[in-house]
Amino acid sequence: MSGQSLLRATGVGKSYGDRIGCRDVSFELWPGEILGIVGESGSGKTTLLNCLSANLELTAGRVEYDTRVDGMADLATMSEPARRMLMRTDWGFVHQNPRDGLRMNLSAGGNVGERLMAVGARHYGNIRRDVIDWLDRVEMEDGRIDDLPSTFSGGMQQRLQIARNLVTKPRLVFMDEPTGGLDVSVQARLLDLLRGLVRELGVACVIVTHDLGVVRLLSHRLMVMQRGRVVEQGLTDQVLDDPQHPYTQLLVSSIVSV
Amino acid sequence: MSTQSEPLLVIEGLRKSFTLHLQDGLELPVFNDVDLTVHGGECVVLSGPSGAGKSSLLRCIYGNYLPRAGQVLVRHDGALVPVTGAEPRTVLEIRRRTMGYVSQFLHVIPRIPTIDLVMEPLLVRAVDAGRARDRAAELLARLNVPERLWRLPPATFSGGEQQRVNIARSFVADYPVLLLDEPTASLDAANRDAVVELINDARARQVAVVGIFHDADVRDRVATGGFDVAAYREAA
């Protein structure tokens, strides 16, 4: 168990004038830890994810990250190039819609190789080898390496987006409803794939979803949000099996089982 | 229960109740002031009628339920460490290396082959995949799960087969503390014997076991002591 947290949020808030996106969120994320954030639409979970990943400016509090060079650093006061470098190398962001995370006019191989080149890889042979290795790890056939992502199914696009994000071995990956648009048969396979990769690479994740099944299988810890606030947090199975807050009890009891 | 060894599990003043917010905040008391100490090599069998809180007590020990008061301590890496009030990552670390739990039902990712599910507790401990597979195969064989089923996901298995997969998953990793919630409930006589043998082997390895067994014959063959949860019922 390492003694240093990777990401630290302190009193994080975001408001749009009178409207509150999220408020007063504090937590520490540890290396290799998977944090799930659940809540209904409009509860502020995606706003929070965007605040944590420096895609939105905070209106309160701060987010710090353990950078490889300078140690714990406040994202708001970091230089723009340093922040962009972080996003390209140490972080990943998996969007619900793969089209938001992929370059649709670039081949599948190009999408994965581009991230490698962004961190300095130049040797064509090595890049191609790594790309093929990663396409294989997300269970895509080598034959599709030169095809455009638009010719892929939704599930394949999502797996490609995951390969693009993990190829640089980031230490932290943000995911916004990663299994959201996929049909159930593809979801289960993707979940298992994600779980295996995350375990193998020891990467920390913040996953936003409204699917309690996804967090039960994937996340170590859970935060439940309602109206912009965290109303309950703890060990995932404890929060789901013995929820304490009225809203969590409502959420858990509303699951339709088949 | 006289043992010279250090206790592996200590429960002090444990209280559990549920507040049902969707039922106008109804309070459901379960138990209060539970004290229990378990040493290596012991198997403490929880007793009490249905609803007495036997499963709730096991879940509180495992960190799955949140007790209202008191504490649960488990010997982890040589020291007694609190499970109650611990950070999620600490509880998970205790579960990964020290404390195993067999639930009544199998909850796993769909469409994963049985053998991979049974190997998983070893893989998360960074055991080499080949060795993990051998050990998983050994347990499945011992529990009479036919080899032709190992490559299939357990979703279509019978209740008894699923339960044996669950047992294999929990015995594969040699946890020093084991919590068993009716592990023999839907098993036939031969398979009950296999489980009894596994439990008694674990006891011989100085594992501390706390379990719920409705089958009197199984209970008599594994128990070193009993604990009546109903005696700790809290008045509503």
Side-chain angles (χ1 to χ4, degrees):
Chain A
M1 222 180 282
S2 125
Q4 165 82 45
S5 59
L6 191 62
L7 184 82
R8 184 161 60 214
T10 314
V12 167
K14 173 72 184 172
S15 51
Y16 306 90
D18 290 346
R19 207 164 59 75
I20 290 159
C22 61
R23 70 197 288 182
D24 207 20
V25 179
S26 299
F27 69 91
E28 282 183 77
L29 186 73
W30 300 83
E33 197 170 42
I34 305 179
L35 169 69
I37 304 177
V38 297
E40 61 202 354
S41 314
S43 59
K45 49 193 198 307
T46 298
T47 302
L48 176 61
L49 190 73
N50 285 323
C51 286
L52 297 174
S53 56
N55 285 317
L56 267 182
E57 237 174 88
L58 312 185
T59 47
R62 62 178 188 280
V63 178
E64 295 157 292
Y65 180 76
D66 179 27
T67 60
R68 289 187 207 236
V69 187
D70 301 320
M72 221 53 180
D74 188 337
L75 294 177
T77 57
M78 199 181 278
S79 74
E80 188 54 35
R83 197 159 53 210
R84 249 183 312 185
M85 190 62 190
L86 199 63
M87 289 172 147
R88 269 210 312 263
T89 58
D90 233 18
W91 289 5
F93 200 111
V94 174
H95 297 263
Q96 173 172 8
N97 186 342
R99 288 166 178 272
D100 295 333
L102 290 173
R103 297 230 300 180
M104 299 306 284
N105 56 354
L106 210 57
S107 69
N111 264 286
V112 180
E114 189 184 48
R115 279 272 291 199
L116 282 172
M117 276 151 62
V119 296
R122 287 294 173 266
H123 186 278
Y124 179 78
N126 291 347
I127 294 175
R128 192 163 172 96
R129 190 200 57 217
D130 284 356
V131 167
I132 289 173
D133 174 46
W134 267 94
L135 291 181
D136 184 51
R137 286 165 89 161
V138 297
E139 297 162 6
M140 286 181 53
E141 304 151 39
D142 295 355
R144 303 299 301 264
I145 188 169
D146 294 319
D147 293 350
L148 289 177
S150 54
T151 64
F152 292 177
S153 68
M156 280 168 75
Q157 287 180 0
Q158 197 55 299
R159 279 180 280 144
L160 181 62
Q161 192 191 184
I162 287 164
R164 175 177 161 95
N165 271 282
L166 294 182
V167 67
T168 54
K169 301 199 167 54
R171 289 194 297 162
L172 175 59
V173 177
F174 299 96
M175 300 190 192
D176 191 3
E177 303 276 9
T179 59
L182 305 175
D183 66 67
V184 185
S185 60
V186 181
Q187 265 186 26
R189 196 73 206 99
L190 188 75
L191 275 179
D192 182 48
L193 178 76
L194 270 176
R195 208 155 93 129
L197 289 174
V198 160
R199 180 172 65 210
E200 211 177 293
L201 301 174
V203 56
C205 292
V206 181
I207 301 175
V208 158
T209 178
H210 62 265
D211 188 333
L212 298 183
V214 168
V215 287
R216 187 185 280 276
L217 294 176
L218 221 47
S219 75
H220 301 128
R221 276 164 70 189
L222 198 56
M223 288 200 324
V224 182
M225 293 190 72
Q226 182 194 29
R227 289 189 222 110
R229 286 180 183 275
V230 175
V231 294
E232 180 163 358
Q233 58 176 316
L235 187 67
T236 299
D237 59 270
Q238 185 261 297
V239 173
L240 294 178
D241 293 339
D242 189 14
Q244 307 291 311
H245 189 275
Y247 176 68
T248 318
Q249 292 190 355
L250 178 68
L251 209 62
V252 170
S253 65
S254 305
I255 303 173
V256 181
S257 55
V258 281
Chain B
M1 284 179 227
S2 64
T3 315
Q4 287 78 32
S5 65
E6 308 256 27
L8 298 189
L9 174 68
V10 176
I11 300 170
E12 291 170 342
L14 204 68
R15 169 167 181 253
K16 177 63 191 163
S17 66
F18 294 98
T19 308
L20 308 182
H21 290 288
L22 304 181
Q23 313 295 332
D24 298 322
L26 180 74
E27 279 287 319
L28 276 185
V30 185
F31 49 73
N32 194 13
D33 248 338
V34 168
D35 293 321
L36 175 65
T37 300
V38 188
H39 293 82
E42 289 181 345
C43 176
V44 175
V45 175
L46 305 182
S47 61
S50 182
K54 303 183 294 294
S55 292
S56 292
L57 179 55
L58 280 189
R59 285 167 177 258
C60 284
I61 299 171
Y62 198 56
N64 176 240
Y65 277 4
L66 202 66
R68 285 294 159 86
Q71 57 176 350
V72 172
L73 302 147
V74 171
R75 188 163 304 279
H76 176 67
D77 288 341
L80 275 179
V81 179
V83 174
T84 34
E87 289 282 330
R89 63 194 189 110
T90 307
V91 179
L92 291 174
E93 193 53 33
I94 293 171
R95 289 180 182 178
R96 194 163 71 87
R97 293 190 285 120
T98 299
M99 188 159 54
Y101 170 63
V102 180
S103 58
Q104 293 175 51
F105 305 101
L106 183 67
H107 288 291
V108 290
I109 295 195
R111 299 173 61 194
I112 311 290
T114 293
I115 185 96
D116 292 353
L117 291 171
V118 176
M119 284 165 67
E120 198 187 8
L122 290 173
L123 295 182
V124 299
R125 287 185 179 193
V127 171
D128 157 79
R131 269 190 48 209
R133 185 170 294 272
D134 291 347
R135 176 87 181 115
E138 192 188 309
L139 267 160
L140 287 170
R142 223 178 136 175
L143 287 160
N144 309 310
V145 178
E147 193 167 345
R148 64 190 157 78
L149 297 181
W150 297 359
R151 296 169 58 87
L152 305 175
T156 53
F157 293 7
S158 72
E161 283 164 346
Q162 290 197 9
Q163 193 164 32
R164 279 177 280 149
V165 172
N166 219 6
I167 295 165
R169 248 167 89 81
S170 306
F171 277 87
V172 77
D174 290 338
Y175 299 106
V177 177
L178 268 177
L179 312 174
L180 310 175
D181 195 344
E182 296 197 48
T184 54
S186 37
L187 302 184
D188 58 29
N191 286 311
R192 270 202 306 274
D193 288 347
V195 175
V196 166
E197 207 176 280
L198 277 175
I199 295 171
N200 286 333
D201 283 0
R203 277 186 41 225
R205 288 195 313 270
Q206 293 303 299
V207 170
V209 184
V210 182
I212 302 168
F213 305 94
H214 284 307
D215 187 288
D217 169 56
V218 171
R219 199 161 54 214
D220 293 346
R221 289 160 69 193
V222 299
T224 59
F227 187 83
D228 181 14
V229 182
Y232 296 82
R233 168 163 291 283
E234 189 182 17

